[in-house]
Amino acid sequence: MQDITELTTALLRSALALDDPAPSTAVTKEVQALYRRVDEDAQSRLAACVDANGVERALRFAVAAIEASLAAQALDAAQEWHAGGNVAAARVNSALARRQLLRAAASLDKPLVSTTGLPSGGPELALPQGAGVPAPRDSLVEPGVDVSAQRNIAAYHREHERFYTAYQTEAALDLYREANKLKVLAGVWLDAPGPDSRPNVDYAKEPYHPVGCVDLNSRHAIGHIGVLYMEGLDETEPSELVVLKNKLRATAMGSVRAGQWLVDKMYGAWKREQQVFLTQSAELGEARLNTIASNWRGSRTVHLAGRVLWLGMELLARQDFSREGVRRDREAAARIALNAAWIIAMAGQLQATSGLEMAENDRSWTAFLEGLPTAAR
């Protein structure tokens, strides 16, 4: 695995070398190599996670890889535009690459907080099968995309993104809420006294089956989290936890699939919308490129959120959350619940980031639409 300081320095050095709108072939190759290094490290770290601490460390590299992927793409475009004599388009793309490299360096430099993890040497959490990012592809686009088509795309997708800005933010809130349920339960299991052991009560008798477990429940939180452990003889894992796990596993795969689809669409959009620089001003082209850059990052972030959420579900699957399963080792069950909750919350942060990216697009979409020739409206 790569040295963080060396990688961060290399990213910053490449960013500083991009003052010229015509990036050298050497700089472009260096950035492409840096992207591959960061991405390979990210994938290795994600595949080796055993708890929330490992996931957080992997995310520094995974997010940096997303940023660096766009830097490499923008530098390729800058070189093509400069070779074709469009210095303004080259400058816009080169500036985007520089910003992306700085963002990648900032991700690697993010401070880490180590919490109580799980015992070292534990099994690695399995990532979902077939959940990789689609391979890059070139889109076959004729020069000079029709202005009316450009306007149609911008107008319709601005409205679509207004919906998904709220949707992604609400999805993040839902993940935070589910994570908080697990945090509440873990807190109870770590701090509560042992089970109710009154000598005159036989919980095997039906009249006592609905009695709440004093060592597993937070009575005042039940109205908020819905989870209730009872002493009944046939009680298994609370249905609310079963629903939580099933829902979040489906959410994880949905995010992975949606992210894969969006990543593939961004390859086509990148080439198509670069054509704006052939017919419109550099300022208008930059406004359109801003939306593509945000969606490039956002599509990969949604995909990453799904993979991270899946890791949280894999961790939850290792614990028996029935009454007796938790009581066998309440502290161990609490640690698993806490680590899973932190991982779920990390997925929520990624979902929220995707929503934020789209929220920032609205002004760029509008600037692009307002700048198009009146005759094309």
Side-chain angles (χ1 to χ4, degrees), residues 312-348:
M313 295 304 98
E314 286 293 296
L315 184 53
L316 284 181
R318 294 182 179 176
Q319 173 63 42
D320 177 1
F321 283 104
S322 69
R323 181 190 62 227
E324 297 308 320
V326 175
R327 280 179 174 166
R328 272 195 293 271
D329 190 337
R330 284 193 309 169
E331 182 176 354
R335 293 302 176 197
I336 286 181
L338 268 179
N339 275 267
W342 288 326
I343 294 171
I344 293 167
M346 291 176 200

Side-chain angles (χ1 to χ4, degrees), residues 6 30 84 199 249:
E6 188 272 329
E30 181 182 4
R249 193 172 286 276

Side-chain angles (χ1 to χ4, degrees), residues 1 40-63 112 117-128 304 307-316 318 336 339-340 342-344 346-347 350:
M1 292 186 181
E40 288 170 3
D41 207 326
Q43 303 314 315
S44 296
R45 289 172 182 268
L46 282 170
C49 293
V50 299
D51 58 17
N53 290 332
V55 174
E56 185 179 29
R57 284 165 173 74
L59 280 180
R60 289 198 300 179
F61 285 83
V63 173
L112 293 174
L118 301 177
S120 60
E124 296 170 348
L125 301 172
L127 288 163
L304 179 59
R307 298 179 79 200
V308 169
L309 184 56
W310 186 272
L311 293 177
M313 295 304 98
E314 286 293 296
L315 184 53
L316 284 181
R318 294 182 179 176
I336 286 181
N339 275 267
W342 288 326
I343 294 171
I344 293 167
M346 291 176 200
L350 292 168

Side-chain angles (χ1 to χ4, degrees), residues 43-267:
Q43 303 314 315
S44 296
R45 289 172 182 268
L46 282 170
C49 293
V50 299
D51 58 17
N53 290 332
V55 174
E56 185 179 29
R57 284 165 173 74
L59 280 180
R60 289 198 300 179
F61 285 83
V63 173
I66 291 172
E67 307 292 358
S69 72
L70 182 52
Q73 191 81 1
L75 279 181
D76 282 343
Q79 282 203 314
E80 289 180 15
W81 282 122
H82 197 270
N86 194 328
V87 177
R91 182 179 291 110
V92 170
N93 278 276
S94 183
L96 172 60
R98 182 171 61 249
R99 291 194 300 272
Q100 290 303 127
L101 291 170
L102 293 174
R103 289 170 63 119
S107 177
L108 288 179
D109 197 43
K110 180 182 176 182
L112 293 174
V113 177
S114 292
T115 52
T116 303
L118 301 177
S120 60
E124 296 170 348
L125 301 172
L127 288 163
Q129 295 296 312
V133 174
R137 65 175 176 84
D138 284 329
S139 57
L140 301 176
V141 179
E142 294 295 328
V145 177
D146 182 75
V147 175
S148 62
Q150 291 173 349
R151 183 169 186 82
N152 175 286
I153 292 169
Y156 279 87
H157 284 269
R158 180 183 63 176
E159 300 307 313
H160 200 214
E161 288 188 13
R162 285 172 175 173
F163 170 81
Y164 274 100
T165 295
Y167 178 86
Q168 295 287 33
T169 305
E170 289 166 356
L173 288 172
D174 188 54
L175 292 178
Y176 295 146
R177 279 190 290 266
E178 302 294 24
N180 286 343
K181 292 178 184 179
L182 296 172
K183 293 174 188 176
V184 169
L185 291 172
V188 174
W189 301 342
L190 287 172
D191 299 333
D196 191 339
S197 57
R198 286 175 288 183
N200 297 326
V201 176
D202 181 359
Y203 292 116
K205 294 181 179 179
E206 189 170 357
Y208 299 109
H209 286 186
V211 172
C213 302
V214 296
D215 58 327
L216 303 182
N217 294 313
S218 174
R219 181 167 63 88
H220 297 294
I222 291 171
H224 300 285
I225 67 174
V227 179
L228 173 61
Y229 278 90
M230 294 181 288
E231 297 287 2
L233 195 62
D234 297 325
E235 288 296 319
T236 57
E237 181 176 358
S239 61
E240 296 81 8
L241 290 181
V242 175
V243 170
L244 180 152
K245 290 189 289 186
N246 289 339
K247 181 183 80 171
L248 294 189
R249 193 172 286 276
T251 298
M253 284 313 302
S255 293
V256 166
R257 299 304 181 208
Q260 289 175 322
W261 183 82
L262 287 166
V263 166
D264 185 66
K265 292 299 181 184
M266 284 303 102
Y267 291 133

